[in-house]
Amino acid sequence: MDTTHPSERIDRFLAVERPALPCIVVDLDIVRARYMALHKQFPAASIFYAVKANPAPHIIAALADLGANFDLASPGEIERCRALGISAARLSYGNTIKHERDIAAAHAAGIDLFAFDSAPELLKLSRAAPGARVFCRLLVRNQGAEWPLTHKFGCDQHTAIELLLRARALGLRPVGVSFHVGSQQTDPRQWIAPIGQAAEIFRACARDGVDLSLLNLGGGLPANYRTLIPDLAAYAETIETALTADFGAARPHILVEPGRHLVGDAGLMRAGVVLVAERPHPGGPRWVYLDVGRYNGLAETQGEAIRYRLRTSRDGGETGRVILAGPSCDSTDIIYERTHYELPLDLVAGDWVDFLSTGAYTASYASVEFNGFPPIRTHCI
Ligand SMILES: Cc1ncc(COP(=O)(O)O)c(C=O)c1O
């Protein structure tokens, strides 16, 4: 089992501070390093951190200090960034599903960049954010993504062209196209086809006098879970080649909206073991019940989609197959049952289990009080 993780600082914090369990510890130095590495691979791109991945104010502030922009999904995320003193010019309202009143409030707060993917949303934008810059989200395949983000969002190429032209007629400023190849995208080639489609949309709009200038490549860059992933450089090279092939010298301004890649590997979740029991009788499958589960931090284990790497306080001895489950009185609160996980045979209640690379889509995904369990606490160090 690969139990390496990039932060000695987190280990030291856990050993010295002994925080109450369960908890998540995020190493801000890793977040910063990830941002700088991404900037190096995509030097001409504007980086918009997808705040939904982890909205901890310390993370937002650390990235803001490095010059990041922010992709926002809701009034709550907008307020959080504004409260941290981040100027509206650095914010993009990237959710394609917004109340008209929320669009109006965002516009009044100075936000000037909005996503849409349907005619009714475009009409809302024209009424509530007249003259704003808007980009259209394209529906793209999400093959290769461990956490797909398709079919609920995006429109086809033909519709995108029609809507972008209509945006101009409605008094908005159509600036470009976005897409999302699915989160935890393990295959860099998945960016190739959408970049080609975007170039066709740019050309079609130009023929009708609408010059688009912005291409938003979305999120999708991965974190280190159990599946081996390519290096960031492989993603950058594939994307660079596609941009050159499809846009040549007329390259648009590139935006990237990473969430998981910037914060996933920066976090570690430490859970306490509540119970180890063989069911339905001694000698049956060994169930390990933890004080975190689907509803208080491990939402992305739904469908066993995201498979975290684990480490325990008993590592080193003999291991055996386990079913991992959360603490609530709900039988959907099973973390891994089909996926093969082994844990030490001598693991008992009171031990701990670490979920590595849990800085993204964990704390913010937790319920507020399902079964009375409080939301998991995050320590940013
Ligand atoms: C519009 C948008 N941009 C960016 C992201 C971040 O994606 P990821 O965490 O895969 O980088 C998401 C994730 O849901 C999203 O909805």
Side-chain angles (χ1 to χ4, degrees):
M1 202 182 341
D2 174 12
T3 56
T4 51
H5 78 103
S7 177
E8 278 174 26
R9 294 177 72 220
I10 292 180
D11 288 340
R12 219 175 310 128
F13 175 84
L14 286 164
V16 173
E17 302 293 330
R18 298 184 156 275
L21 302 188
C23 69
I24 294 171
V25 189
V26 174
D27 184 342
L28 295 173
D29 280 354
I30 296 179
V31 176
R32 293 187 190 97
R34 281 297 162 91
Y35 179 88
M36 294 314 292
L38 189 64
H39 176 60
K40 201 168 159 201
Q41 290 292 345
F42 293 90
S46 296
I47 302 177
F48 281 69
Y49 171 55
V51 169
K52 60 180 78 70
N54 192 326
H58 288 298
I59 293 179
I60 297 174
L63 289 170
D65 285 349
L66 294 177
N69 306 286
F70 298 89
D71 162 54
L72 307 169
S74 67
E77 290 187 351
I78 293 171
E79 267 165 43
R80 185 161 293 192
C81 286
R82 299 292 285 148
L84 289 165
I86 299 165
S87 82
R90 295 165 72 182
L91 308 180
S92 164
Y93 202 164
N95 193 341
T96 56
I97 302 154
K98 304 174 284 299
H99 269 308
E100 190 162 329
R101 60 171 183 266
D102 296 338
I103 297 172
H107 193 58
I111 295 179
D112 183 44
L113 187 60
F114 296 84
F116 72 94
D117 60 7
S118 69
E121 188 74 12
L122 193 60
L123 285 173
K124 281 191 240 165
L125 286 165
S126 71
R127 289 189 297 260
R133 293 180 301 146
V134 294
F135 56 92
C136 185
R137 179 164 172 175
L138 201 55
L139 172 69
V140 301
R141 280 156 42 108
N142 274 205
Q143 251 84 355
E146 294 187 351
W147 193 259
L149 292 170
T150 191
H151 105 273
K152 179 177 169 187
F153 311 103
C155 59
D156 63 25
Q157 195 173 317
H158 176 75
T159 307
I161 295 165
E162 212 173 272
L163 292 177
L164 285 161
L165 297 177
R166 195 149 156 219
R168 178 187 53 178
L170 287 167
L172 292 161
R173 281 182 294 153
V175 287
V177 171
S178 73
F179 60 82
H180 199 304
V181 293
S183 202
Q184 188 64 14
Q185 177 53 261
T186 58
D187 178 6
R189 291 167 307 169
Q190 295 301 320
W191 272 265
I192 296 173
I195 288 173
Q197 271 181 280
E200 285 175 23
I201 295 170
F202 272 57
R203 283 193 287 274
C205 285
R207 283 195 291 275
D208 273 302
V210 169
D211 289 321
L212 302 177
S213 57
L214 178 155
L215 177 57
N216 180 340
L217 304 176
L221 297 172
N224 284 291
Y225 305 128
R226 291 218 316 198
T227 317
L228 270 182
I229 49 164
D231 286 345
L232 181 61
Y235 290 85
E237 276 164 32
T238 306
I239 288 169
E240 177 63 27
T241 305
L243 287 171
T244 302
D246 292 313
F247 286 96
R251 182 177 293 212
H253 180 60
I254 300 298
L255 263 64
V256 287
E257 287 180 345
R260 192 182 300 279
H261 184 73
L262 293 185
V263 294
D265 292 337
L268 178 147
M269 180 188 294
R270 178 159 289 185
V273 177
V274 183
L275 173 73
V276 180
E278 293 174 342
R279 291 210 191 289
H281 47 70
R286 188 164 58 118
W287 288 70
V288 173
Y289 299 87
L290 303 174
D291 54 15
V292 286
R294 179 79 55 76
Y295 303 106
N296 60 339
L298 295 172
E300 288 200 321
T301 60
Q302 180 178 336
E304 307 192 21
I306 297 296
R307 293 177 300 277
Y308 297 104
R309 293 173 297 131
L310 305 184
R311 188 176 78 160
T312 78
S313 48
R314 301 255 179 197
D315 280 2
E318 213 184 321
T319 62
R321 177 96 196 244
V322 291
I323 298 169
L324 274 155
S328 69
C329 299
D330 193 313
S331 59
T332 58
D333 191 8
I334 293 173
I335 304 168
Y336 300 117
E337 185 170 17
R338 283 180 283 113
T339 312
H340 189 100
Y341 271 93
E342 293 201 5
L343 290 181
L345 291 177
D346 53 354
L347 197 73
V348 289
D351 289 337
W352 51 254
V353 174
D354 284 345
F355 289 75
L356 307 186
S357 298
T358 35
Y361 304 112
T362 46
S364 60
Y365 240 140
S367 68
V368 272
E369 58 171 358
F370 187 52
N371 277 227
F373 294 108
I376 189 162
R377 175 125 193 249
T378 297
H379 305 272
C380 289
I381 59 169

